[in-house]
Tab-separated table of all heavy atoms in Angstrom:
chain	number	residue	atom	x	y	z
A	1	ARG	N	5.787	6.166	18.235
A	1	ARG	CA	4.449	6.196	18.840
A	1	ARG	C	3.374	6.436	17.789
A	1	ARG	O	2.283	5.843	17.858
A	1	ARG	CB	4.399	7.271	19.928
A	1	ARG	CG	5.136	6.893	21.203
A	1	ARG	CD	4.863	7.869	22.329
A	1	ARG	NE	5.595	9.115	22.141
A	1	ARG	CZ	6.814	9.346	22.598
A	1	ARG	NH1	7.457	8.395	23.254
A	1	ARG	NH2	7.398	10.515	22.408
A	2	MET	N	3.652	7.286	16.799
A	2	MET	CA	2.672	7.548	15.750
A	2	MET	C	2.404	6.289	14.926
A	2	MET	O	1.254	5.969	14.599
A	2	MET	CB	3.151	8.679	14.835
A	2	MET	CG	2.138	9.051	13.760
A	2	MET	SD	2.680	10.382	12.675
A	2	MET	CE	2.622	11.774	13.800
A	3	LEU	N	3.466	5.550	14.612
A	3	LEU	CA	3.293	4.319	13.844
A	3	LEU	C	2.490	3.288	14.637
A	3	LEU	O	1.642	2.587	14.077
A	3	LEU	CB	4.663	3.751	13.457
A	3	LEU	CG	5.408	4.521	12.367
A	3	LEU	CD1	6.843	4.011	12.241
A	3	LEU	CD2	4.695	4.400	11.017
A	4	LEU	N	2.760	3.186	15.931
A	4	LEU	CA	1.980	2.267	16.759
A	4	LEU	C	0.513	2.687	16.811
A	4	LEU	O	-0.392	1.849	16.767
A	4	LEU	CB	2.564	2.210	18.173
A	4	LEU	CG	3.919	1.506	18.309
A	4	LEU	CD1	4.488	1.696	19.711
A	4	LEU	CD2	3.792	0.028	17.977
A	5	PHE	N	0.281	4.002	16.881
A	5	PHE	CA	-1.094	4.518	16.907
A	5	PHE	C	-1.850	4.127	15.636
A	5	PHE	O	-3.010	3.704	15.678
A	5	PHE	CB	-1.060	6.035	17.069
A	5	PHE	CG	-2.405	6.702	16.947
A	5	PHE	CD1	-3.297	6.676	18.005
A	5	PHE	CD2	-2.779	7.342	15.777
A	5	PHE	CE1	-4.549	7.285	17.903
A	5	PHE	CE2	-4.022	7.950	15.664
A	5	PHE	CZ	-4.907	7.919	16.727
A	6	PHE	N	-1.190	4.284	14.490
A	6	PHE	CA	-1.829	3.968	13.215
A	6	PHE	C	-1.831	2.467	12.915
A	6	PHE	O	-2.628	2.012	12.088
A	6	PHE	CB	-1.116	4.684	12.065
A	6	PHE	CG	-1.580	6.096	11.834
A	6	PHE	CD1	-0.866	7.164	12.335
A	6	PHE	CD2	-2.726	6.359	11.115
A	6	PHE	CE1	-1.287	8.473	12.127
A	6	PHE	CE2	-3.155	7.654	10.885
A	6	PHE	CZ	-2.434	8.711	11.407
A	7	GLY	N	-0.926	1.715	13.555
A	7	GLY	CA	-0.734	0.333	13.139
A	7	GLY	C	-1.409	-0.733	13.963
A	7	GLY	O	-1.885	-1.731	13.414
A	8	VAL	N	-1.486	-0.545	15.287
A	8	VAL	CA	-1.909	-1.646	16.154
A	8	VAL	C	-3.363	-2.038	15.917
A	8	VAL	O	-3.672	-3.213	15.653
A	8	VAL	CB	-1.683	-1.280	17.636
A	8	VAL	CG1	-2.318	-2.332	18.543
A	8	VAL	CG2	-0.190	-1.181	17.927
A	9	VAL	N	-4.280	-1.076	15.982
A	9	VAL	CA	-5.704	-1.411	15.845
A	9	VAL	C	-6.068	-1.852	14.423
A	9	VAL	O	-6.666	-2.924	14.239
A	9	VAL	CB	-6.594	-0.232	16.312
A	9	VAL	CG1	-8.063	-0.520	16.033
A	9	VAL	CG2	-6.389	0.017	17.805
A	10	PRO	N	-5.720	-1.065	13.371
A	10	PRO	CA	-6.041	-1.531	12.002
A	10	PRO	C	-5.384	-2.860	11.673
A	10	PRO	O	-6.004	-3.732	11.049
A	10	PRO	CB	-5.501	-0.408	11.112
A	10	PRO	CG	-5.451	0.787	11.989
A	10	PRO	CD	-5.114	0.284	13.345
A	11	GLY	N	-4.116	-3.023	12.092
A	11	GLY	CA	-3.436	-4.288	11.824
A	11	GLY	C	-4.109	-5.447	12.523
A	11	GLY	O	-4.288	-6.529	11.953
A	12	GLY	N	-4.505	-5.231	13.794
A	12	GLY	CA	-5.189	-6.283	14.533
A	12	GLY	C	-6.520	-6.664	13.896
A	12	GLY	O	-6.870	-7.850	13.814
A	13	ILE	N	-7.265	-5.661	13.434
A	13	ILE	CA	-8.550	-5.937	12.785
A	13	ILE	C	-8.342	-6.758	11.510
A	13	ILE	O	-9.086	-7.717	11.247
A	13	ILE	CB	-9.284	-4.621	12.475
A	13	ILE	CG1	-9.739	-3.953	13.773
A	13	ILE	CG2	-10.486	-4.862	11.550
A	13	ILE	CD1	-10.306	-2.560	13.582
A	14	LEU	N	-7.345	-6.388	10.721
A	14	LEU	CA	-7.076	-7.143	9.490
A	14	LEU	C	-6.736	-8.597	9.795
A	14	LEU	O	-7.246	-9.520	9.144
A	14	LEU	CB	-5.924	-6.499	8.720
A	14	LEU	CG	-6.254	-5.396	7.728
A	14	LEU	CD1	-4.979	-4.889	7.063
A	14	LEU	CD2	-7.235	-5.881	6.668
A	15	LEU	N	-5.870	-8.807	10.779
A	15	LEU	CA	-5.467	-10.175	11.104
A	15	LEU	C	-6.633	-10.978	11.672
A	15	LEU	O	-6.763	-12.174	11.384
A	15	LEU	CB	-4.300	-10.144	12.094
A	15	LEU	CG	-2.985	-9.570	11.537
A	15	LEU	CD1	-1.946	-9.447	12.643
A	15	LEU	CD2	-2.449	-10.426	10.396
A	16	LEU	N	-7.491	-10.346	12.459
A	16	LEU	CA	-8.657	-11.040	13.011
A	16	LEU	C	-9.665	-11.408	11.921
A	16	LEU	O	-10.428	-12.366	12.076
A	16	LEU	CB	-9.330	-10.174	14.075
A	16	LEU	CG	-8.575	-10.035	15.406
A	16	LEU	CD1	-9.259	-9.019	16.302
A	16	LEU	CD2	-8.468	-11.390	16.110
A	17	ASN	N	-9.680	-10.624	10.835
A	17	ASN	CA	-10.601	-10.894	9.726
A	17	ASN	C	-9.947	-11.666	8.589
A	17	ASN	O	-10.491	-11.716	7.490
A	17	ASN	CB	-11.166	-9.578	9.183
A	17	ASN	CG	-12.294	-9.041	10.047
A	17	ASN	OD1	-13.430	-9.494	9.974
A	17	ASN	ND2	-11.962	-8.074	10.888
A	18	ALA	N	-8.796	-12.267	8.872
A	18	ALA	CA	-8.060	-12.973	7.818
A	18	ALA	C	-8.887	-14.108	7.206
A	18	ALA	O	-8.893	-14.311	5.985
A	18	ALA	CB	-6.748	-13.522	8.371
A	19	PHE	N	-9.624	-14.843	8.052
A	19	PHE	CA	-10.409	-15.956	7.520
A	19	PHE	C	-11.525	-15.448	6.606
A	19	PHE	O	-11.781	-16.026	5.537
A	19	PHE	CB	-11.006	-16.783	8.657
A	19	PHE	CG	-11.850	-17.929	8.183
A	19	PHE	CD1	-11.262	-19.062	7.648
A	19	PHE	CD2	-13.241	-17.865	8.244
A	19	PHE	CE1	-12.047	-20.121	7.178
A	19	PHE	CE2	-14.022	-18.913	7.785
A	19	PHE	CZ	-13.429	-20.050	7.254
A	20	SER	N	-12.203	-14.367	7.013
A	20	SER	CA	-13.272	-13.806	6.181
A	20	SER	C	-12.720	-13.334	4.836
A	20	SER	O	-13.355	-13.516	3.790
A	20	SER	CB	-13.945	-12.642	6.906
A	20	SER	OG	-14.577	-13.094	8.085
A	21	LEU	N	-11.531	-12.711	4.868
A	21	LEU	CA	-10.908	-12.278	3.616
A	21	LEU	C	-10.576	-13.473	2.723
A	21	LEU	O	-10.754	-13.424	1.507
A	21	LEU	CB	-9.628	-11.489	3.907
A	21	LEU	CG	-9.757	-9.972	4.034
A	21	LEU	CD1	-8.424	-9.365	4.439
A	21	LEU	CD2	-10.244	-9.359	2.733
A	22	LYS	N	-10.119	-14.545	3.354
A	22	LYS	CA	-9.814	-15.761	2.595
A	22	LYS	C	-11.075	-16.306	1.923
A	22	LYS	O	-11.061	-16.678	0.737
A	22	LYS	CB	-9.218	-16.814	3.530
A	22	LYS	CG	-8.993	-18.170	2.877
A	22	LYS	CD	-8.553	-19.189	3.905
A	22	LYS	CE	-8.443	-20.584	3.272
A	22	LYS	NZ	-8.051	-21.606	4.278
A	23	VAL	N	-12.169	-16.328	2.660
A	23	VAL	CA	-13.438	-16.823	2.096
A	23	VAL	C	-13.881	-15.933	0.937
A	23	VAL	O	-14.424	-16.421	-0.070
A	23	VAL	CB	-14.517	-16.898	3.193
A	23	VAL	CG1	-15.872	-17.246	2.585
A	23	VAL	CG2	-14.129	-17.922	4.246
A	24	MET	N	-13.654	-14.612	1.037
A	24	MET	CA	-14.078	-13.696	-0.012
A	24	MET	C	-13.312	-13.884	-1.312
A	24	MET	O	-13.761	-13.430	-2.364
A	24	MET	CB	-13.955	-12.250	0.467
A	24	MET	CG	-15.066	-11.862	1.449
A	24	MET	SD	-15.000	-10.139	1.963
A	24	MET	CE	-15.350	-9.293	0.412
A	25	THR	N	-12.156	-14.571	-1.247
A	25	THR	CA	-11.442	-14.862	-2.498
A	25	THR	C	-12.217	-15.858	-3.364
A	25	THR	O	-11.942	-15.987	-4.560
A	25	THR	CB	-10.034	-15.434	-2.208
A	25	THR	OG1	-10.144	-16.656	-1.470
A	25	THR	CG2	-9.202	-14.439	-1.419
A	26	LEU	N	-13.189	-16.558	-2.778
A	26	LEU	CA	-14.035	-17.479	-3.545
A	26	LEU	C	-15.073	-16.729	-4.378
A	26	LEU	O	-15.687	-17.307	-5.273
A	26	LEU	CB	-14.756	-18.440	-2.595
A	26	LEU	CG	-13.882	-19.306	-1.684
A	26	LEU	CD1	-14.752	-20.071	-0.690
A	26	LEU	CD2	-13.037	-20.260	-2.519
A	27	GLY	N	-15.268	-15.446	-4.056
A	27	GLY	CA	-16.314	-14.664	-4.701
A	27	GLY	C	-17.285	-14.162	-3.654
A	27	GLY	O	-17.543	-14.853	-2.650
A	28	GLU	N	-17.817	-12.961	-3.859
A	28	GLU	CA	-18.672	-12.358	-2.833
A	28	GLU	C	-19.971	-13.136	-2.642
A	28	GLU	O	-20.503	-13.199	-1.533
A	28	GLU	CB	-18.951	-10.896	-3.183
A	28	GLU	CG	-17.698	-10.035	-3.121
A	28	GLU	CD	-18.003	-8.576	-2.875
A	28	GLU	OE1	-19.186	-8.243	-2.626
A	28	GLU	OE2	-17.074	-7.765	-2.927
A	29	GLY	N	-20.505	-13.717	-3.731
A	29	GLY	CA	-21.730	-14.514	-3.609
A	29	GLY	C	-21.514	-15.731	-2.739
A	29	GLY	O	-22.313	-16.020	-1.832
A	30	GLU	N	-20.444	-16.462	-2.992
A	30	GLU	CA	-20.134	-17.642	-2.188
A	30	GLU	C	-19.833	-17.266	-0.747
A	30	GLU	O	-20.246	-17.951	0.191
A	30	GLU	CB	-18.932	-18.388	-2.785
A	30	GLU	CG	-19.202	-19.073	-4.114
A	30	GLU	CD	-19.118	-18.117	-5.304
A	30	GLU	OE1	-18.980	-16.884	-5.067
A	30	GLU	OE2	-19.212	-18.598	-6.444
A	31	ALA	N	-19.106	-16.161	-0.557
A	31	ALA	CA	-18.770	-15.724	0.796
A	31	ALA	C	-20.034	-15.359	1.577
A	31	ALA	O	-20.179	-15.717	2.754
A	31	ALA	CB	-17.817	-14.526	0.739
A	32	ALA	N	-20.966	-14.648	0.931
A	32	ALA	CA	-22.215	-14.281	1.589
A	32	ALA	C	-23.023	-15.522	1.960
A	32	ALA	O	-23.638	-15.585	3.031
A	32	ALA	CB	-23.034	-13.367	0.691
């Protein structure tokens, strides 16, 4: 239960922002 508490929301946020993270690999200026 503790692992689910720490894992579900942060993990979901990371996966939902996967595309933004991918764009940021181009550089922060290009991403902005």
